[in-house]
Amino acid sequence: LRRMYPRARELAAHGPRVVILGKNVPEVWTFKGLERVLINMRLFGEDAAIQVECLTLLSTLGEVLFNNGMAGEVFQILEVLMRRHSVRADILAKGVLIIARLGPSFLQHEHRGVFTIIQAMD
């Protein structure tokens, strides 16, 4: 993903039409890029290796997800993913990290986030 988007912008005939997720976020994090990561997480839900890579990418975004209105969708995917791969400590740890980085304002509105973290710790 990190190599694909700069190359695609270089090859664009009419210049880049890119909307970046945030001010201090690397250029590769566009809304379209995030949508593709989430689609891959849904499509390859059983493949733990792909899920770890996607979670690693998402963990760098933190509160940017909440600020751009993507927190609810990301949380729904995380909740399913953490239940499906409940024996994988790396997936659970990254899931808890992402939920924590969504920020306190997300946890105020989404009480299932705390419940999901508690289930992961069992």
Side-chain angles (χ1 to χ4, degrees):
L1 184 64
R2 289 187 178 121
R3 286 178 270 167
M4 183 172 69
Y5 281 100
R7 183 69 179 144
R9 281 197 295 273
E10 289 173 8
L11 298 176
H14 300 290
R17 290 201 156 254
V18 176
V19 179
I20 297 175
L21 285 173
K23 187 176 182 180
N24 296 325
V25 178
E27 285 185 353
V28 296
W29 282 115
T30 62
F31 281 98
K32 195 64 156 174
L34 180 59
E35 287 174 15
R36 289 186 179 165
V37 169
L38 297 178
I39 287 170
N40 284 329
M41 289 179 80
R42 285 191 189 104
L43 284 175
F44 303 104
E46 298 298 325
D47 190 341
I50 291 175
Q51 299 304 325
V52 170
E53 289 298 320
C54 290
L55 289 173
T56 302
L57 290 171
L58 288 179
S59 67
T60 61
L61 292 178
E63 282 194 38
V64 174
L65 294 169
F66 180 76
N67 294 341
N68 289 307
M70 306 289 261
E73 184 179 358
V74 169
F75 177 72
Q76 289 174 353
I77 294 171
L78 278 177
E79 189 174 22
V80 171
L81 183 68
M82 289 172 72
R83 288 182 187 179
R84 184 177 289 157
H85 298 283
S86 61
V87 296
R88 295 279 312 252
D90 55 346
I91 290 178
L92 295 177
K94 289 185 187 294
V96 170
L97 176 66
I98 292 170
I99 291 172
R101 286 189 177 171
L102 288 175
S105 45
F106 172 74
L107 290 176
Q108 283 177 339
H109 299 292
E110 188 62 62
H111 300 293
R112 291 182 311 170
V114 176
F115 182 69
T116 304
I117 292 172
I118 291 169
Q119 280 185 330
M121 293 173 70
D122 284 342

